[in-house]
Amino acid sequence: MNGNKFTQLDWDDLRHFLALAQSGTFLGAAKQLGVEHATISRRVSSLEATLERKLIDRRGRRVVLTPEGEKVARHAAVIALQTAAVEQIGRSSATEVRGHVRISAPPALSSVLLAKPIVAIRRDHPGVQITLVGEKRFTSLNRREADIAVRLSRPEDGDYSITKLHELTFNLFASKRYLETVAPSEWTFIGYDEAMNASPQQLRLKEVAAGRPIALRSSVLEFQVAAARLDGGVVMLPDFAVPEDLQRIEGEHALVRELWLVVHAEIKDLPSIRVVLDALKSAFKRKPHAGPPHLSG
């Protein structure tokens, strides 16, 4: 790069590029920032021209970052974190905490375990706005896809503040009629789709099945529950997702997984982030030995 020709970076160009890096599509980036598709394209082209580097490859509707694009995205994410911290100072006052906090968590867990503490946060801190994103993958906190993540796996690297929230127990369940009418040797199982094949609960289910078919698969836990209630087979469920009309199958099948609260260290002390973290920790601490509530029938 010719240092004499280099012009000053435009933060808006970086911000639009970061949104594209996070979403993977121009349409997704445009929705994220509330701008037109053409604006994203123009801003990214401007950044490429400023840096004199190709940052993205277009592959149909998807966008893939070049190696230089990956580096720029990592640095832009750090700037975004620091900018958020500065913006938070402007939003804060001596009497009220303000800010927008984005939480990522698995969908089924979100609806059952997180709704109550999140509503309580809004009641106690009306200046805090919360977006809950239900997704199973570990959202990149470094890229500001979320401020806080609630996950069943502890991140192995990254500059994070990590707290263990809870332990979830997974067991085998089936309907009473299924257990009465189908011999164990003829059981079929209900599990996740191929995207979750490496998850501990799916591995345990395969181990228990021991060659018997996993005949029904779904990425949606609520569907698995519904299928089991309709005599569809044997399912492995976390304690918070078990309706009262399913029966636990006795045996050494239980699997315990830890629930983790993860936040980027750069923003963990921002007032709006702190009130959300404290509320989630308190919600799980109040009943440390009690299983979460059952789904109603």
Side-chain angles (χ1 to χ4, degrees), residues 1 6 13 31 46 73 85 104 108 119 129 131-132 193 236 262 264 289:
M1 185 181 298
F6 186 78
D13 288 351
K31 288 182 177 180
S46 173
S104 169
V119 170
Q129 299 176 9
T131 297
L132 183 62
D193 60 9
M236 176 160 277
V262 187
H264 200 287
H289 303 296

Short mmCIF file of all heavy atoms in Angstrom, two decimals, residues 1 6 13 31 46 73 85 104 108 119 129 131-132 193 236 262 264 289:
data_model
loop_
_atom_site.label_atom_id
_atom_site.label_comp_id
_atom_site.label_asym_id
_atom_site.label_seq_id
_atom_site.Cartn_x
_atom_site.Cartn_y
_atom_site.Cartn_z
N MET A 1 0.84 -1.19 0.00
CA MET A 1 0.00 0.00 0.00
C MET A 1 0.88 1.24 0.00
O MET A 1 1.85 1.32 0.75
CB MET A 1 -0.90 0.02 1.25
CG MET A 1 -1.88 1.16 1.27
SD MET A 1 -2.90 1.13 2.78
CE MET A 1 -3.73 -0.44 2.56
N PHE A 6 -2.61 7.07 0.86
CA PHE A 6 -3.63 6.59 1.80
C PHE A 6 -4.44 7.75 2.37
O PHE A 6 -3.88 8.76 2.79
CB PHE A 6 -2.96 5.83 2.94
CG PHE A 6 -3.95 5.18 3.88
CD1 PHE A 6 -4.59 4.02 3.51
CD2 PHE A 6 -4.24 5.76 5.10
CE1 PHE A 6 -5.48 3.42 4.36
CE2 PHE A 6 -5.14 5.18 5.95
CZ PHE A 6 -5.77 4.00 5.58
N ASP A 13 -17.80 3.67 6.79
CA ASP A 13 -17.43 2.58 5.88
C ASP A 13 -17.14 1.30 6.67
O ASP A 13 -17.60 0.21 6.32
CB ASP A 13 -16.18 2.97 5.07
CG ASP A 13 -16.47 4.03 4.01
OD1 ASP A 13 -17.65 4.34 3.79
OD2 ASP A 13 -15.50 4.54 3.41
N LYS A 31 -30.64 -4.80 6.49
CA LYS A 31 -31.68 -4.90 7.52
C LYS A 31 -31.12 -4.56 8.90
O LYS A 31 -31.77 -3.90 9.70
CB LYS A 31 -32.27 -6.31 7.53
CG LYS A 31 -33.17 -6.60 6.33
CD LYS A 31 -33.75 -8.00 6.44
CE LYS A 31 -34.71 -8.29 5.29
NZ LYS A 31 -35.28 -9.67 5.38
N SER A 46 -16.12 1.68 -1.02
CA SER A 46 -15.34 2.83 -0.57
C SER A 46 -14.20 2.40 0.35
O SER A 46 -13.06 2.87 0.24
CB SER A 46 -16.24 3.84 0.15
OG SER A 46 -15.48 4.88 0.73
N ALA A 73 -12.25 -7.07 9.61
CA ALA A 73 -13.45 -7.31 10.42
C ALA A 73 -13.09 -7.44 11.89
O ALA A 73 -13.81 -6.94 12.76
CB ALA A 73 -14.17 -8.57 9.93
N ALA A 85 -18.85 1.49 24.16
CA ALA A 85 -18.56 1.94 25.52
C ALA A 85 -18.67 3.46 25.64
O ALA A 85 -19.21 3.99 26.62
CB ALA A 85 -17.17 1.48 25.93
N SER A 104 -27.90 -13.49 22.97
CA SER A 104 -28.04 -14.68 22.13
C SER A 104 -28.16 -15.91 23.03
O SER A 104 -27.39 -16.07 23.98
CB SER A 104 -26.83 -14.82 21.22
OG SER A 104 -26.82 -16.09 20.58
N ALA A 108 -35.23 -22.71 22.60
CA ALA A 108 -36.10 -23.33 23.61
C ALA A 108 -35.75 -22.84 25.01
O ALA A 108 -36.62 -22.55 25.83
CB ALA A 108 -35.98 -24.85 23.54
N VAL A 119 -38.00 -9.75 31.46
CA VAL A 119 -39.13 -8.85 31.75
C VAL A 119 -38.87 -8.09 33.05
O VAL A 119 -39.18 -6.89 33.16
CB VAL A 119 -40.44 -9.65 31.83
CG1 VAL A 119 -41.57 -8.77 32.37
CG2 VAL A 119 -40.80 -10.19 30.45
N GLN A 129 -33.20 -1.41 26.73
CA GLN A 129 -33.92 -2.16 25.70
C GLN A 129 -33.17 -3.46 25.43
O GLN A 129 -31.94 -3.47 25.39
CB GLN A 129 -34.04 -1.34 24.42
CG GLN A 129 -34.80 -0.03 24.59
CD GLN A 129 -34.80 0.78 23.33
OE1 GLN A 129 -34.39 0.31 22.27
NE2 GLN A 129 -35.26 2.02 23.42
N THR A 131 -32.87 -7.09 23.05
CA THR A 131 -33.20 -7.95 21.91
C THR A 131 -32.67 -9.34 22.22
O THR A 131 -31.48 -9.50 22.53
CB THR A 131 -32.56 -7.43 20.61
OG1 THR A 131 -33.10 -6.14 20.30
CG2 THR A 131 -32.85 -8.38 19.45
N LEU A 132 -33.54 -10.33 22.14
CA LEU A 132 -33.15 -11.72 22.38
C LEU A 132 -33.12 -12.46 21.05
O LEU A 132 -34.13 -12.54 20.36
CB LEU A 132 -34.13 -12.39 23.34
CG LEU A 132 -33.81 -13.83 23.73
CD1 LEU A 132 -32.48 -13.90 24.48
CD2 LEU A 132 -34.91 -14.41 24.58
N ASP A 193 -31.32 -32.88 14.14
CA ASP A 193 -30.89 -33.10 12.76
C ASP A 193 -29.36 -33.15 12.70
O ASP A 193 -28.67 -33.05 13.71
CB ASP A 193 -31.45 -32.01 11.84
CG ASP A 193 -31.00 -30.61 12.22
OD1 ASP A 193 -30.11 -30.47 13.09
OD2 ASP A 193 -31.54 -29.64 11.66
N MET A 236 -34.51 -37.53 24.17
CA MET A 236 -33.66 -37.03 25.27
C MET A 236 -33.93 -35.55 25.44
O MET A 236 -33.75 -34.76 24.51
CB MET A 236 -32.18 -37.28 24.97
CG MET A 236 -31.26 -36.68 26.03
SD MET A 236 -29.59 -37.41 26.04
CE MET A 236 -29.87 -38.87 27.03
N VAL A 262 -21.80 -15.56 28.95
CA VAL A 262 -20.57 -15.08 28.33
C VAL A 262 -20.76 -13.64 27.84
O VAL A 262 -21.77 -13.33 27.20
CB VAL A 262 -20.17 -15.98 27.14
CG1 VAL A 262 -18.80 -15.57 26.59
CG2 VAL A 262 -20.16 -17.44 27.54
N HIS A 264 -18.23 -10.13 26.36
CA HIS A 264 -16.90 -9.66 26.02
C HIS A 264 -16.37 -8.78 27.15
O HIS A 264 -17.08 -7.92 27.67
CB HIS A 264 -16.92 -8.86 24.71
CG HIS A 264 -15.59 -8.76 24.06
ND1 HIS A 264 -14.59 -7.95 24.55
CD2 HIS A 264 -15.05 -9.37 22.98
CE1 HIS A 264 -13.52 -8.05 23.79
NE2 HIS A 264 -13.76 -8.92 22.84
N HIS A 289 -30.72 -25.58 43.33
CA HIS A 289 -30.88 -27.05 43.33
C HIS A 289 -32.21 -27.48 42.70
O HIS A 289 -32.49 -28.68 42.63
CB HIS A 289 -30.80 -27.58 44.76
CG HIS A 289 -29.51 -27.22 45.43
ND1 HIS A 289 -28.29 -27.65 45.00
CD2 HIS A 289 -29.27 -26.42 46.52
CE1 HIS A 289 -27.33 -27.16 45.77
NE2 HIS A 289 -27.90 -26.42 46.69
#
